Amino acid sequence: MVELGPQIAVHGGRRIFLSLVTLALAEVPTAAAQEVVELPGRDQWLEPDFAHVFRVGVPIGEEWEMFANIPKVAFDADGNLYVFDSAGPGSSADLRIVVFDSTGGFLRHFGSAGEGPGEFRSPASYAVLRDGTTIVADLGHRAYHLFDASGQFLRMVRGGMGTPRGNESGGAVSSVGVAALPEIHADPRGGAVYSMEGRTWLVSSLGGLAWPSAYRPIDRHDIGGEEVGAETLVRAWRPEHEPRDDDRAASLPTITIANPDGGSTSLADALRGSAAPLVFEPELLVGVLPTGDIVYSDSSTYALHLTAADGGALLRTITRPLRPERVSPGIEAEFNRKREAGLQRSASGGGSYSFSLGEPRFYPEIPVIQALSATWEGRIWVMRRGDDDLLEDGPIDVLTADGEYVGTYRTGATKMPDAFGPNGLAAYIEFDEFEVASVVVRRLPTEVR
């Protein structure tokens, strides 16, 4: 569990002890010192010298090389690429895992929908351990499916999803409501995944899936047995906001949602009284280092917190003197314009059904950090908000876990990789002009790996 205590500030290589106790409490024992490392405010530009390795995914070809929708890609220690291909949104049961070797050669595919062990009902999130063990978190089964490196089903590990969490006020947790799909990251040491709130909010009935109102947890799930062994390592900050107005839920289209237990509920009833996230609300962004240590961002400021894999003690905080942008009426108007344009494109394209939850509500500022990831070898990549267009992706900083600033890629020089692999491999999910998905793999230079 993260506990705050005395801190050491590092400015330009100097370390300054910052005590959090007063002289009157000087005799009270305190926690171990923690570092606060402040990076320079001026960017030092990096050149995107990435070597092309291979690309997979074509509009017309063999079944294994045509992808419908790719929610996730991952690597194992041999450099094999795992492509999670779904026919629909992340909750679709029609999921398969396609595996390619380190040169792009097809190896195998596995995974199918069904009710039995190793068959998917509502696959929600995915991870690959370094030894090639594939893990699929299935909300329908309320379990993790485990497959070995050859794609053979190993076993199911129950728990870790749909487990009721009481709210901080002691009130009951509704079994139907808006919930965040649990996002998982593989523990590089093996035998476990880290679970935290995902970025996709949707309606679900999971026997009481609800997150505490006062914090956002980062849990370590041990999957070595038949039941998940869960330990909360971090209680990240949760922004506060008022529940949704019930009148908004009542005005929604008539949509019936099937529950994993065979029942159903209406979208309006599920959303009634829920507290959906605000536009620009700071997300819980997480990366996992090779040691199993966690780096995360949970606020609108540029602050990265590093916590230990064992016990979750706070090791250091890395900051940059970059401030959030206040949300002005002009920014709100521009967001609404782009939102309406996106809904119109979705409707005209015949894709998944889109609907409005009423007028959006806005967080008062746009967070500095928009995305966060850790490389196979331990670099931290941090994507900031856009420079000129605050609603678009911005520059990407690269730094070390010790707080060394490596440099920054200019806006548009590179996207944030969707997966990092061994020997500098990085995978990017891309779409052509016809929205056909493919995955391109490049090799990163040593300094940013």
Side-chain angles (χ1 to χ4, degrees):
M1 188 71 61
V2 173
E3 299 288 347
L4 296 179
Q7 298 180 330
I8 296 176
V10 182
H11 298 276
R14 296 175 57 205
R15 297 171 184 263
I16 307 171
F17 184 77
L18 301 179
S19 177
L20 297 184
V21 296
T22 63
L23 292 177
L25 298 177
E27 70 277 8
V28 178
T30 60
Q34 301 150 2
E35 289 181 342
V36 177
V37 182
E38 183 173 324
L39 302 179
R42 185 174 181 178
D43 292 325
Q44 298 178 5
W45 301 119
L46 297 169
E47 294 301 323
D49 184 19
F50 306 156
H52 179 85
V53 181
F54 64 85
R55 181 188 292 272
V56 293
V58 296
I60 300 176
E62 299 294 332
E63 180 182 3
W64 54 264
E65 59 183 344
M66 294 187 295
F67 303 130
N69 179 53
I70 306 175
K72 176 88 172 193
V73 290
F75 290 97
D76 66 18
D78 293 327
N80 297 321
L81 174 70
Y82 294 69
V83 179
F84 294 83
D85 181 36
S86 173
S91 60
S92 169
D94 191 7
L95 171 75
R96 63 172 183 161
I97 299 95
V98 189
V99 187
F100 302 87
D101 66 23
S102 59
T103 64
F106 172 70
L107 292 178
R108 69 188 71 89
H109 67 81
F110 59 94
S112 61
E115 299 297 319
E119 297 176 332
F120 309 133
R121 290 184 63 185
S122 298
S125 48
Y126 329 95
V128 177
L129 300 181
R130 295 199 169 192
D131 65 2
T133 300
T134 299
I135 304 166
V136 177
D138 192 327
L139 294 177
H141 286 283
R142 301 180 191 174
Y144 291 112
H145 300 276
L146 272 61
F147 302 85
D148 67 17
S150 67
Q152 295 298 309
F153 175 68
L154 292 173
R155 55 193 171 88
M156 292 177 68
V157 183
R158 302 284 182 180
M161 285 150 282
T163 303
R165 289 180 185 263
N167 61 37
E168 298 302 308
S169 62
V173 178
S174 172
S175 63
V176 180
V178 175
L181 286 178
E183 183 180 354
I184 61 174
H185 293 261
D187 187 333
R189 300 168 300 173
V193 295
Y194 294 101
S195 175
M196 67 288 300
E197 288 189 21
R199 302 180 185 181
T200 303
W201 284 66
L202 52 79
V203 178
S204 187
S205 175
L206 303 171
L209 174 61
W211 302 109
S213 60
Y215 65 90
R216 292 179 285 186
I218 301 177
D219 298 333
R220 185 178 186 272
H221 287 181
D222 188 316
I223 54 175
E226 295 182 359
E227 298 283 339
V228 168
E231 175 189 12
T232 298
L233 296 178
V234 173
R235 295 188 176 191
W237 176 71
R238 176 186 294 282
E240 295 183 0
H241 46 76
E242 295 298 322
R244 181 183 302 281
D245 189 338
D246 286 352
D247 290 340
R248 297 185 178 186
S251 65
L252 290 173
T254 302
I255 300 176
T256 300
I257 304 148
N259 302 330
D261 60 7
S264 64
T265 188
S266 72
L267 177 63
D269 287 342
L271 283 175
R272 198 178 306 278
S274 64
L278 306 178
V279 177
F280 305 131
E281 181 175 306
E283 296 177 358
L284 175 57
L285 306 174
V286 177
V288 180
L289 298 167
T291 57
D293 293 344
I294 302 166
V295 55
Y296 72 95
S297 168
D298 62 353
S299 70
S300 57
T301 63
Y302 196 115
L304 304 174
H305 308 288
L306 277 83
T307 62
D310 298 319
L314 181 62
L315 301 175
R316 68 185 56 85
T317 297
I318 302 173
T319 69
R320 286 196 76 181
L322 304 174
R323 300 184 62 84
E325 183 75 22
R326 298 295 298 178
V327 176
S328 66
I331 291 175
E332 292 185 7
E334 178 65 11
F335 173 86
N336 285 327
R337 185 191 67 78
K338 291 188 175 184
R339 172 174 170 267
E340 290 301 321
L343 291 175
Q344 291 173 8
R345 283 196 300 271
S346 176
S348 63
S352 59
Y353 183 74
S354 298
F355 55 87
S356 171
L357 297 181
E359 289 299 318
R361 297 183 296 172
F362 292 86
Y363 195 73
E365 55 192 15
I366 301 177
V368 178
I369 297 177
Q370 302 295 313
L372 169 65
S373 190
T375 72
W376 191 274
E377 298 174 25
R379 294 289 192 262
I380 300 171
W381 285 42
V382 181
M383 187 180 74
R384 292 151 32 195
R385 66 166 184 262
D387 292 322
D388 299 323
D389 190 337
L390 298 175
L391 305 184
E392 299 295 334
D393 296 344
I396 296 176
D397 297 338
V398 182
L399 50 140
T400 72
D402 291 331
E404 176 189 351
Y405 173 62
V406 178
T408 300
Y409 289 108
R410 290 180 172 87
T411 299
T414 178
K415 297 195 308 177
M416 178 73 84
D418 293 289
F420 291 96
N423 302 314
L425 295 177
Y428 299 80
I429 302 170
E430 296 185 350
F431 298 89
D432 65 14
E433 64 273 22
F434 302 107
E435 295 300 311
V436 175
S438 63
V439 181
V440 60
V441 175
R442 301 184 176 97
R443 196 177 304 276
L444 307 175
T446 303
E447 63 178 339
V448 298
R449 296 180 185 179

